[in-house]
Amino acid sequence: PVVMLLDQPTSGVDIGAKREIQDMIRTFVKGSEIAAIVVSSEEAEILQVSDDVVVFVRGTCDGTVYARADLQPGDLRRLAWTAVAS
């Protein structure tokens, strides 16, 4: 595949397995020509596995791409709630 879509890839697993899955995603994509789109409701997970972040609310985004390095979990929450209020 050129793009993998991973929807809640660590839902329902324990902390150790969650970390292994997150590491596997980053390792698989790193150095390859494959992109991964990871959908997660967990802010920490988004920041763990992403290089770039796009915030969707009710299936819509404004097209802004945020660099993971520029974000904290609270920023993701603020971006989502700001979009909901709009």
Side-chain angles (χ1 to χ4, degrees), residues 15-47:
I15 289 286
K18 183 176 288 206
R19 183 57 131 178
E20 282 185 45
I21 292 167
Q22 292 168 343
D23 290 345
M24 286 171 47
I25 293 167
R26 288 203 60 80
T27 299
F28 186 74
V29 173
K30 185 179 180 177
S32 73
E33 294 183 16
I34 296 172
I37 298 173
V38 179
V39 178
S40 179
S41 56
E42 295 184 34
E43 296 150 341
E45 179 167 74
I46 292 168
L47 297 177

